[in-house]
Amino acid sequence: MSSTDWNPLLREELTKPYWGDLMEFVHGERVANEVYPPHEEVFAALHLTPYADTRVLILGQDPYHGPGQAHGLCFSVRPGVRVPPSLVNIFTELQADLGLSPPGHGNLEQWARQGVLLLNAVLTVRAHEAGSHRGKGWETFTDEVIRAVGAKPTPVVFVLWGGYARKKKSLIDSDRHVIVESPHPSPLSAHNGFFGSRPFSRVNAALEATGQTPIDWQIDPLLGPG
């Protein structure tokens, strides 16, 4: 993890026994298998969204496991990569909620650069095997990221989609922060309450209620951020 303002907050994690075991596991996986995202993009969410700027946290589960999809931001793929079904549903709800047209690509970096931390609970995955790196230590690390965000003096909006993410509510002080939750946007559950949940307008209402600038959820429809 190269230098960011997250480092002082998370440095202690890198000295704990689980971290060494986790790094050894991921290294072994990269030697033996294809692992996503690429090594240099594992911590992209923390690099693109500094701690000081974090106003919203969207929590995903683990990275996309198809070739070229994962690049370190939950739900996001690079321009030129087919938009995955969950993200198609996110864009469908964004249009229903705020009237914003889907951008034609799946790169969410413009959100990240506005203070939306796009964090997966697990930061690596073996190719074509969803959940293959769960339970190896990443969750311990990302729980600490969630706690660090929760320690910010300014209210933060936590977006928890689906049962897995909602289990993290115990890490968040809901008296100080706002939790926006619903079923997951995956095709399996989107029709059970994700559609119609209006998360984007709810996030912005919560930010404005605490004197913060709302997120511009519209993504450049051409090339995405450069």
Side-chain angles (χ1 to χ4, degrees), residues 44-63:
L46 300 180
H47 292 149
L48 276 174
T49 309
Y51 179 74
D53 296 346
T54 299
R55 301 183 286 140
V56 179
L57 189 157
I58 298 178
L59 185 65
Q61 196 156 351
D62 59 352

Side-chain angles (χ1 to χ4, degrees), residues 117-172:
L117 182 65
L118 296 168
L119 181 71
N120 275 315
V122 177
L123 299 187
T124 56
V125 68
R126 190 184 309 151
H128 311 298
E129 294 187 42
S132 49
H133 287 187
R134 291 180 200 161
K136 303 297 183 182
W138 279 127
E139 296 93 336
T140 304
F141 176 74
T142 56
D143 281 359
E144 198 57 36
V145 174
I146 294 168
R147 287 191 190 96
V149 173
K152 290 187 67 136
T154 310
V156 175
V157 186
F158 290 83
V159 180
L160 307 179
W161 287 328
Y164 182 89
R166 290 160 103 168
K167 288 177 183 173
K168 303 294 184 179
K169 281 197 290 187
S170 62
L171 303 175
I172 303 162

Side-chain angles (χ1 to χ4, degrees), residues 138-224:
W138 279 127
E139 296 93 336
T140 304
F141 176 74
T142 56
D143 281 359
E144 198 57 36
V145 174
I146 294 168
R147 287 191 190 96
V149 173
K152 290 187 67 136
T154 310
V156 175
V157 186
F158 290 83
V159 180
L160 307 179
W161 287 328
Y164 182 89
R166 290 160 103 168
K167 288 177 183 173
K168 303 294 184 179
K169 281 197 290 187
S170 62
L171 303 175
I172 303 162
D173 180 355
S174 58
D175 291 333
R176 292 202 307 114
H177 303 295
V178 176
I179 297 175
V180 171
E181 59 180 311
S182 76
H184 196 275
S186 84
L188 297 174
S189 55
H191 289 279
N192 294 329
F194 174 75
F195 289 139
S197 64
R198 305 197 65 191
F200 307 99
S201 58
R202 288 162 67 194
V203 167
N204 280 353
L207 291 171
E208 291 180 302
T210 54
Q212 300 181 71
T213 306
I215 304 299
D216 178 3
W217 296 105
Q218 179 67 67
I219 295 170
D220 180 345
L222 299 175
L223 298 174

Side-chain angles (χ1 to χ4, degrees), residues 16-67:
K16 293 179 179 177
Y18 86 85
W19 185 261
D21 294 342
L22 172 61
M23 291 300 100
E24 189 174 326
F25 167 76
V26 173
H27 175 73
E29 284 282 281
R30 288 196 187 276
V31 169
N33 306 285
E34 189 75 20
V35 170
Y36 305 129
H39 173 75
E40 64 274 10
E41 294 179 328
V42 170
F43 299 105
L46 300 180
H47 292 149
L48 276 174
T49 309
Y51 179 74
D53 296 346
T54 299
R55 301 183 286 140
V56 179
L57 189 157
I58 298 178
L59 185 65
Q61 196 156 351
D62 59 352
Y64 293 125
H65 53 84

